[in-house]
Each structure stands twice: as structure tokens, then as C-alpha cells.
Amino acid sequence: MSLFSFFPTEVLFPYPVVCHATLELETNRKHPQDSSVNKFIIEETATLLARVAECQSNDTDLWCKARIVARTRDIDPLMVRFGFRERLLSEARDRNIIRRYLKVP
């Protein structure tokens, strides 16, 4: 999957969701600009992904929540630079995604 901003970008988004975001794009419309606005949107996207994962419920699949925030391949370097990985990890730690099942203090 790719991250979309009306036009599909070349930014890989390796999560099992479709993500639509309004981003400031470079003139080729394939890459988000390196801007504070885009950084804010990307970080908020990480928060939203963690919230969506926490809301999942399936008594027969204990990993359904974790599967939403588990990437399927490497995160695009642009997403790392914008703080997506750090925000997602922070949000996942603070939410009931796997802690309940693994008895993590």
C-alpha cells in the first residue's frame, strides 16, 4: 500500500489500512513537502492508527489490535523523518492494544 494525498504518492505506508490525508506535495505530486504542516498531519495519523487499533475487538483473535499497528515492511524514511514511527510506538504503549493479554506492568 501507499500513502495517498488525493494522488497516490510514492511514500510506502506498510499498514493494513487505507490512509487518506491532505498533505502539501512537491510539484511532481509524488512526495510530501518537508514541512511542519505535513509533520503534524503524519504524527496525527499515527495517533489515529493507534486509536483505531485499540477499538478493534475479536475474542477469538488476541492479536487483532496489534496487527493494525504492526508494519508489514520497513517504514518509508520520510515517515520516520516526520516522526510517525516514534509517535505510533508511544501511542501504542499508552493504549490497550496488547498489554491486557500479555500482563505487561
mmCIF file of all heavy atoms in Angstrom, residues 54-77:
data_model
loop_
_atom_site.group_PDB
_atom_site.id
_atom_site.type_symbol
_atom_site.label_atom_id
_atom_site.label_comp_id
_atom_site.label_asym_id
_atom_site.label_seq_id
_atom_site.Cartn_x
_atom_site.Cartn_y
_atom_site.Cartn_z
ATOM 1 N N GLU A 54 -6.843 0.191 18.957
ATOM 2 C CA GLU A 54 -7.376 -0.037 20.301
ATOM 3 C C GLU A 54 -8.875 -0.356 20.271
ATOM 4 O O GLU A 54 -9.373 -1.103 21.116
ATOM 5 C CB GLU A 54 -7.128 1.197 21.165
ATOM 6 C CG GLU A 54 -7.524 1.004 22.615
ATOM 7 C CD GLU A 54 -7.211 2.221 23.457
ATOM 8 O OE1 GLU A 54 -7.333 3.362 22.945
ATOM 9 O OE2 GLU A 54 -6.837 2.028 24.620
ATOM 10 N N CYS A 55 -9.587 0.151 19.304
ATOM 11 C CA CYS A 55 -11.041 -0.065 19.213
ATOM 12 C C CYS A 55 -11.424 -1.417 18.628
ATOM 13 O O CYS A 55 -12.596 -1.799 18.676
ATOM 14 C CB CYS A 55 -11.673 1.041 18.377
ATOM 15 S SG CYS A 55 -11.621 2.650 19.159
ATOM 16 N N GLN A 56 -10.466 -2.118 18.054
ATOM 17 C CA GLN A 56 -10.769 -3.415 17.455
ATOM 18 C C GLN A 56 -11.120 -4.417 18.550
ATOM 19 O O GLN A 56 -10.595 -4.360 19.660
ATOM 20 C CB GLN A 56 -9.585 -3.938 16.636
ATOM 21 C CG GLN A 56 -9.159 -3.031 15.519
ATOM 22 C CD GLN A 56 -10.293 -2.703 14.571
ATOM 23 O OE1 GLN A 56 -10.898 -3.590 13.988
ATOM 24 N NE2 GLN A 56 -10.580 -1.425 14.439
ATOM 25 N N SER A 57 -11.970 -5.353 18.240
ATOM 26 C CA SER A 57 -12.366 -6.348 19.220
ATOM 27 C C SER A 57 -12.687 -7.663 18.519
ATOM 28 O O SER A 57 -13.496 -7.692 17.593
ATOM 29 C CB SER A 57 -13.595 -5.866 19.992
ATOM 30 O OG SER A 57 -13.998 -6.843 20.912
ATOM 31 N N ASN A 58 -12.016 -8.717 18.964
ATOM 32 C CA ASN A 58 -12.265 -10.044 18.425
ATOM 33 C C ASN A 58 -11.789 -11.048 19.469
ATOM 34 O O ASN A 58 -10.592 -11.242 19.652
ATOM 35 C CB ASN A 58 -11.511 -10.235 17.103
ATOM 36 C CG ASN A 58 -11.833 -11.562 16.452
ATOM 37 O OD1 ASN A 58 -12.249 -12.516 17.115
ATOM 38 N ND2 ASN A 58 -11.618 -11.630 15.157
ATOM 39 N N ASP A 59 -12.727 -11.658 20.177
ATOM 40 C CA ASP A 59 -12.372 -12.568 21.260
ATOM 41 C C ASP A 59 -11.618 -13.800 20.784
ATOM 42 O O ASP A 59 -10.931 -14.443 21.567
ATOM 43 C CB ASP A 59 -13.633 -12.997 22.028
ATOM 44 C CG ASP A 59 -14.246 -11.838 22.794
ATOM 45 O OD1 ASP A 59 -13.499 -10.901 23.173
ATOM 46 O OD2 ASP A 59 -15.473 -11.860 23.006
ATOM 47 N N THR A 60 -11.753 -14.162 19.515
ATOM 48 C CA THR A 60 -11.055 -15.345 19.015
ATOM 49 C C THR A 60 -9.680 -15.017 18.437
ATOM 50 O O THR A 60 -8.908 -15.909 18.139
ATOM 51 C CB THR A 60 -11.891 -16.059 17.931
ATOM 52 O OG1 THR A 60 -12.093 -15.172 16.841
ATOM 53 C CG2 THR A 60 -13.232 -16.513 18.500
ATOM 54 N N ASP A 61 -9.382 -13.738 18.269
ATOM 55 C CA ASP A 61 -8.093 -13.308 17.720
ATOM 56 C C ASP A 61 -7.467 -12.280 18.663
ATOM 57 O O ASP A 61 -7.743 -11.087 18.579
ATOM 58 C CB ASP A 61 -8.275 -12.712 16.323
ATOM 59 C CG ASP A 61 -6.958 -12.281 15.691
ATOM 60 O OD1 ASP A 61 -5.892 -12.510 16.289
ATOM 61 O OD2 ASP A 61 -7.009 -11.707 14.585
ATOM 62 N N LEU A 62 -6.611 -12.753 19.565
ATOM 63 C CA LEU A 62 -5.998 -11.875 20.556
ATOM 64 C C LEU A 62 -5.056 -10.844 19.945
ATOM 65 O O LEU A 62 -4.705 -9.865 20.582
ATOM 66 C CB LEU A 62 -5.235 -12.707 21.593
ATOM 67 C CG LEU A 62 -6.065 -13.712 22.388
ATOM 68 C CD1 LEU A 62 -5.180 -14.499 23.347
ATOM 69 C CD2 LEU A 62 -7.172 -13.003 23.143
ATOM 70 N N TRP A 63 -4.646 -11.053 18.707
ATOM 71 C CA TRP A 63 -3.683 -10.157 18.063
ATOM 72 C C TRP A 63 -4.325 -9.179 17.086
ATOM 73 O O TRP A 63 -3.627 -8.447 16.398
ATOM 74 C CB TRP A 63 -2.610 -10.991 17.346
ATOM 75 C CG TRP A 63 -1.816 -11.779 18.320
ATOM 76 C CD1 TRP A 63 -1.963 -13.111 18.619
ATOM 77 C CD2 TRP A 63 -0.775 -11.306 19.163
ATOM 78 N NE1 TRP A 63 -1.075 -13.477 19.594
ATOM 79 C CE2 TRP A 63 -0.326 -12.393 19.942
ATOM 80 C CE3 TRP A 63 -0.174 -10.063 19.335
ATOM 81 C CZ2 TRP A 63 0.694 -12.273 20.883
ATOM 82 C CZ3 TRP A 63 0.845 -9.938 20.272
ATOM 83 C CH2 TRP A 63 1.265 -11.033 21.025
ATOM 84 N N CYS A 64 -5.649 -9.108 17.034
ATOM 85 C CA CYS A 64 -6.309 -8.250 16.045
ATOM 86 C C CYS A 64 -5.934 -6.780 16.226
ATOM 87 O O CYS A 64 -5.778 -6.054 15.241
ATOM 88 C CB CYS A 64 -7.812 -8.447 16.051
ATOM 89 S SG CYS A 64 -8.656 -7.849 17.516
ATOM 90 N N LYS A 65 -5.753 -6.331 17.460
ATOM 91 C CA LYS A 65 -5.377 -4.932 17.698
ATOM 92 C C LYS A 65 -3.932 -4.687 17.282
ATOM 93 O O LYS A 65 -3.619 -3.698 16.629
ATOM 94 C CB LYS A 65 -5.549 -4.575 19.168
ATOM 95 C CG LYS A 65 -6.983 -4.616 19.638
ATOM 96 C CD LYS A 65 -7.070 -4.298 21.110
ATOM 97 C CE LYS A 65 -8.523 -4.371 21.561
ATOM 98 N NZ LYS A 65 -8.706 -3.776 22.872
ATOM 99 N N ALA A 66 -3.051 -5.593 17.677
ATOM 100 C CA ALA A 66 -1.626 -5.436 17.376
ATOM 101 C C ALA A 66 -1.372 -5.493 15.873
ATOM 102 O O ALA A 66 -0.475 -4.812 15.368
ATOM 103 C CB ALA A 66 -0.817 -6.514 18.091
ATOM 104 N N ARG A 67 -2.151 -6.270 15.164
ATOM 105 C CA ARG A 67 -1.950 -6.412 13.725
ATOM 106 C C ARG A 67 -2.151 -5.082 12.981
ATOM 107 O O ARG A 67 -1.512 -4.828 11.971
ATOM 108 C CB ARG A 67 -2.899 -7.482 13.188
ATOM 109 C CG ARG A 67 -2.376 -8.199 11.977
ATOM 110 C CD ARG A 67 -3.241 -9.396 11.581
ATOM 111 N NE ARG A 67 -2.897 -10.548 12.399
ATOM 112 C CZ ARG A 67 -3.709 -11.121 13.280
ATOM 113 N NH1 ARG A 67 -4.929 -10.679 13.476
ATOM 114 N NH2 ARG A 67 -3.323 -12.168 13.972
ATOM 115 N N ILE A 68 -2.986 -4.209 13.510
ATOM 116 C CA ILE A 68 -3.226 -2.906 12.874
ATOM 117 C C ILE A 68 -1.982 -2.026 12.944
ATOM 118 O O ILE A 68 -1.655 -1.313 12.004
ATOM 119 C CB ILE A 68 -4.418 -2.183 13.550
ATOM 120 C CG1 ILE A 68 -5.696 -2.984 13.403
ATOM 121 C CG2 ILE A 68 -4.588 -0.761 13.004
ATOM 122 C CD1 ILE A 68 -6.233 -3.096 12.006
ATOM 123 N N VAL A 69 -1.255 -2.066 14.057
ATOM 124 C CA VAL A 69 -0.087 -1.191 14.224
ATOM 125 C C VAL A 69 1.230 -1.872 13.846
ATOM 126 O O VAL A 69 2.282 -1.245 13.888
ATOM 127 C CB VAL A 69 0.004 -0.628 15.664
ATOM 128 C CG1 VAL A 69 -1.173 0.269 15.957
ATOM 129 C CG2 VAL A 69 0.123 -1.742 16.684
ATOM 130 N N ALA A 70 1.160 -3.147 13.481
ATOM 131 C CA ALA A 70 2.373 -3.866 13.079
ATOM 132 C C ALA A 70 2.610 -3.647 11.585
ATOM 133 O O ALA A 70 1.768 -3.968 10.762
ATOM 134 C CB ALA A 70 2.230 -5.353 13.383
ATOM 135 N N ARG A 71 3.752 -3.110 11.262
ATOM 136 C CA ARG A 71 4.048 -2.851 9.850
ATOM 137 C C ARG A 71 4.385 -4.146 9.123
ATOM 138 O O ARG A 71 4.855 -5.102 9.719
ATOM 139 C CB ARG A 71 5.166 -1.833 9.714
ATOM 140 C CG ARG A 71 6.442 -2.234 10.380
ATOM 141 C CD ARG A 71 7.434 -1.067 10.346
ATOM 142 N NE ARG A 71 8.529 -1.272 11.243
ATOM 143 C CZ ARG A 71 9.625 -1.953 10.954
ATOM 144 N NH1 ARG A 71 9.756 -2.499 9.765
ATOM 145 N NH2 ARG A 71 10.585 -2.090 11.829
ATOM 146 N N THR A 72 4.133 -4.157 7.834
ATOM 147 C CA THR A 72 4.380 -5.346 7.026
ATOM 148 C C THR A 72 5.729 -5.300 6.319
ATOM 149 O O THR A 72 6.145 -6.282 5.729
ATOM 150 C CB THR A 72 3.274 -5.516 5.966
ATOM 151 O OG1 THR A 72 3.225 -4.333 5.166
ATOM 152 C CG2 THR A 72 1.930 -5.757 6.629
ATOM 153 N N ARG A 73 6.393 -4.146 6.360
ATOM 154 C CA ARG A 73 7.743 -3.980 5.813
ATOM 155 C C ARG A 73 8.312 -2.691 6.399
ATOM 156 O O ARG A 73 7.679 -2.041 7.220
ATOM 157 C CB ARG A 73 7.752 -3.960 4.298
ATOM 158 C CG ARG A 73 6.899 -2.881 3.685
ATOM 159 C CD ARG A 73 6.909 -2.972 2.189
ATOM 160 N NE ARG A 73 5.693 -2.351 1.687
ATOM 161 C CZ ARG A 73 5.270 -2.444 0.484
ATOM 162 N NH1 ARG A 73 5.934 -3.147 -0.388
ATOM 163 N NH2 ARG A 73 4.161 -1.853 0.102
ATOM 164 N N ASP A 74 9.488 -2.300 5.961
ATOM 165 C CA ASP A 74 10.128 -1.105 6.502
ATOM 166 C C ASP A 74 9.276 0.138 6.275
ATOM 167 O O ASP A 74 8.577 0.254 5.271
ATOM 168 C CB ASP A 74 11.504 -0.882 5.868
ATOM 169 C CG ASP A 74 12.526 -1.907 6.338
ATOM 170 O OD1 ASP A 74 12.309 -2.527 7.402
ATOM 171 O OD2 ASP A 74 13.539 -2.083 5.650
ATOM 172 N N ILE A 75 9.383 1.057 7.220
ATOM 173 C CA ILE A 75 8.687 2.335 7.102
ATOM 174 C C ILE A 75 9.495 3.236 6.176
ATOM 175 O O ILE A 75 10.722 3.265 6.236
ATOM 176 C CB ILE A 75 8.539 2.997 8.484
ATOM 177 C CG1 ILE A 75 7.705 2.110 9.406
ATOM 178 C CG2 ILE A 75 7.901 4.383 8.378
ATOM 179 C CD1 ILE A 75 7.652 2.602 10.830
ATOM 180 N N ASP A 76 8.802 3.961 5.346
ATOM 181 C CA ASP A 76 9.448 4.903 4.446
ATOM 182 C C ASP A 76 10.279 5.907 5.248
ATOM 183 O O ASP A 76 9.820 6.403 6.282
ATOM 184 C CB ASP A 76 8.363 5.627 3.648
ATOM 185 C CG ASP A 76 8.917 6.383 2.476
ATOM 186 O OD1 ASP A 76 9.506 7.451 2.703
ATOM 187 O OD2 ASP A 76 8.749 5.912 1.345
ATOM 188 N N PRO A 77 11.494 6.213 4.817
ATOM 189 C CA PRO A 77 12.346 7.168 5.547
ATOM 190 C C PRO A 77 11.673 8.525 5.777
ATOM 191 O O PRO A 77 11.910 9.167 6.800
ATOM 192 C CB PRO A 77 13.575 7.315 4.646
ATOM 193 C CG PRO A 77 13.626 6.051 3.868
ATOM 194 C CD PRO A 77 12.200 5.640 3.668
#
